[in-house]
Amino acid sequence: MTAALAAGPGRPVRGQSCGNGPAARAPGGRLRSCALDPRAARSPRLSFGAPGSARTPELSVSALVPRRWTPRCVAGLPSAGSDLQGGAGVRRGRRRPEPAGPAHCILWNQAGFSATCGTSQCQHVCSERLRVRKLTSSNNRPREDSWLKSLFVRKVDPRKDAHSNLLAKKETSSLYKLQFHNVKPECLEAYNKICQEVLPKIHEDAHYPCTLVGTWNTWYGEQDQAVHLWRYEGGYPALTEVMNKLRENQEFVSFRKARSNMLLSRKNQLLLEFSFWNEPIPRPGPNIYELRSYQLRPGTMIEWGNYWARAIRFRQDSNEAVGGFFSQIGELYMVHHLWAYKDLQTREDIRNAAWHKHGWEELVYYTVPLIQEMESRIMIPLKTSPLQ
């Protein structure tokens, strides 16, 4: 073996052959070396003893193969005398041939050429490696798959009740409507004027089972935007009743017609109130209001509610919590938290103080992965808004 390695690439060792038995001898009994393709001239030529010979080295194939050759076991290569033996010796490509004979060892070099060796010891080592690889891969794959799934696949617990029944306040059965109106910049003042004339009348009329919770203009966030929050006492039946009555209200019909000429776009959402949040009641001012909107990952609303049922306790010292809502119609898995502050600096101080309370950072750590997108609006209330 030492002589074989010392001979270097391309030098056959006297008394050894590179093929399978008689196929390795030229006519006249002279030994011939492996005939490698000229394109693989730089690849090392391996020398092995003839099958069954006493001079066959008692070493594994990995000890005989240089580093840039990698033995791969392929069952069913053509037997001796095929185009992979004798004069051809090397075959391009890595596609496995069709089964036509016993197992051989294909040696792959970096250039993509392969040479065959049919020694008995090589066959034995390669077949053993192939068998161990199959057993190992078949035994470990289910375990690896289950381990990976536990990291990336979220398990959803079966529920026997709707999220709205588990999270919403049952004693009030109130439904909320959140409206976003994007107003033409030149029409914002006129829009605010007609809203302050018409909306309070609906709010004060006992004929309508609805209440105007608040109306604002966005200060920081999406500009030239008006936000209105309505509450319907009695849920969906109350909403339907109000809509039917407003169609017959000529003043409101004229208001909507005038308003439509001032808007660029509008959207709304129907919301329910979290059971653990504060009730949004009128408050004196002056205040600024922050509406923080969270787009949650589908299936995580219950987790969000469980964490915030504890987190809301950390945000009650300054009476800044106004209301918490989650969507039922419109953009689903949307959560809105409404906060009130004296000014922007007070907002900063209150939010920083929460991080000094033990347990707040843990709740933030677990709720952040539930969020896909989030947005913050700083809003200024109109003069007729119940929330000042």
Side-chain angles (χ1 to χ4, degrees):
M1 180 60 196
T2 305
L5 296 178
R11 298 183 182 180
V13 180
R14 182 179 301 275
Q16 293 181 344
S17 63
C18 300
N20 290 334
R25 291 184 175 272
R30 296 182 59 187
L31 295 174
R32 71 180 181 185
S33 60
C34 293
L36 296 177
D37 191 286
R39 292 167 293 187
R42 294 186 179 181
S43 300
R45 299 183 181 182
L46 305 181
S47 300
F48 297 94
S53 172
R55 301 189 63 177
T56 301
E58 297 294 334
L59 294 173
S60 64
V61 177
S62 60
L64 301 175
V65 180
R67 290 184 178 178
R68 57 178 179 173
W69 289 78
T70 304
R72 298 187 181 179
C73 295
V74 178
L77 284 181
S79 56
S82 66
D83 60 344
L84 292 181
Q85 301 292 332
V90 173
R91 182 171 180 170
R92 266 191 179 277
R94 295 174 179 246
R95 187 170 60 181
R96 295 185 178 183
E98 296 296 329
H104 289 261
C105 176
I106 291 186
L107 304 177
W108 301 83
N109 64 3
Q110 294 177 347
F113 299 101
S114 61
T116 60
C117 170
T119 61
S120 59
Q121 185 170 0
C122 177
Q123 294 177 10
H124 173 72
V125 173
C126 292
S127 61
E128 286 296 321
R129 287 183 178 178
L130 181 61
R131 185 177 66 84
V132 172
R133 178 180 297 178
K134 287 182 177 179
L135 291 176
T136 304
S137 60
S138 61
N139 291 337
N140 290 343
R141 187 170 299 151
R143 185 182 305 172
E144 292 176 359
D145 291 347
S146 61
W147 181 75
L148 289 174
K149 287 180 180 179
S150 65
L151 290 180
F152 299 106
V153 178
R154 179 178 297 277
K155 295 181 179 179
V156 179
D157 296 333
R159 303 289 180 186
K160 296 183 179 180
D161 205 349
H163 290 174
S164 58
N165 294 335
L166 296 173
L167 296 172
K169 291 182 178 180
K170 296 181 176 62
E171 60 273 13
T172 59
S173 300
S174 295
L175 182 70
Y176 290 82
K177 180 170 70 174
L178 185 62
Q179 298 175 308
F180 299 97
H181 292 173
N182 294 317
V183 186
K184 296 177 182 178
E186 65 274 13
C187 300
L188 184 59
E189 185 176 351
Y191 173 88
N192 289 337
K193 183 179 179 180
I194 63 173
C195 285
Q196 293 180 101
E197 291 175 356
V198 177
L199 299 186
K201 294 180 181 179
I202 302 175
H203 167 70
E204 296 170 358
D205 193 340
H207 187 61
Y208 298 98
C210 64
T211 303
L212 180 63
V213 178
T215 177
W216 305 268
N217 285 154
T218 300
W219 184 21
Y220 289 103
E222 196 163 354
Q223 297 293 288
D224 302 314
Q225 186 182 71
V227 181
H228 309 288
L229 181 62
W230 293 87
R231 177 172 54 227
Y232 297 88
E233 294 85 0
Y236 292 106
L239 173 65
T240 304
E241 180 182 352
V242 171
M243 293 297 102
N244 292 335
K245 291 181 178 180
L246 288 177
R247 291 191 186 100
E248 301 174 358
N249 187 330
Q250 294 303 317
E251 183 180 10
F252 185 78
V253 172
S254 301
F255 160 75
R256 291 194 62 179
K257 185 176 180 180
R259 186 188 66 181
S260 63
N261 297 325
M262 304 177 185
L263 298 181
L264 294 172
S265 64
R266 61 193 180 103
K267 69 175 182 178
N268 56 24
Q269 295 177 355
L270 294 181
L271 314 172
L272 292 178
E273 184 182 7
F274 281 114
S275 60
F276 49 84
W277 263 82
N278 302 26
E279 186 76 18
I281 58 176
R283 65 173 62 197
N287 294 300
I288 63 172
Y289 290 82
E290 181 179 17
L291 182 65
R292 298 179 69 88
S293 303
Y294 304 90
Q295 177 69 61
L296 302 186
R297 299 182 184 277
T300 61
M301 186 65 72
I302 294 295
E303 291 182 67
W304 179 273
N306 288 337
Y307 287 125
W308 265 97
R310 291 179 287 164
I312 192 62
R313 301 196 303 266
F314 296 95
R315 300 296 305 274
Q316 299 286 0
D317 294 346
S318 301
N319 195 30
E320 69 268 23
V322 177
F325 314 92
F326 61 98
S327 62
Q328 285 291 284
I329 297 179
E331 295 180 73
L332 299 180
Y333 286 96
M334 285 291 298
V335 171
H336 300 282
H337 292 174
L338 186 60
W339 309 90
Y341 306 100
K342 293 298 180 183
D343 49 42
L344 290 176
Q345 185 58 51
T346 303
R347 169 188 176 274
E348 182 74 9
D349 296 339
I350 292 175
R351 290 177 58 83
N352 288 338
W355 288 96
H356 298 286
K357 300 177 182 178
H358 179 69
W360 171 256
E361 72 284 350
E362 180 183 356
L363 295 171
V364 173
Y365 175 82
Y366 286 113
T367 54
V368 166
L370 309 180
I371 303 171
Q372 283 186 331
E373 296 180 6
M374 58 186 300
E375 183 180 6
S376 173
R377 292 178 177 87
I378 302 297
M379 306 182 301
I380 304 296
L382 299 183
K383 294 179 180 180
T384 56
S385 174
L387 288 173
Q388 286 294 310

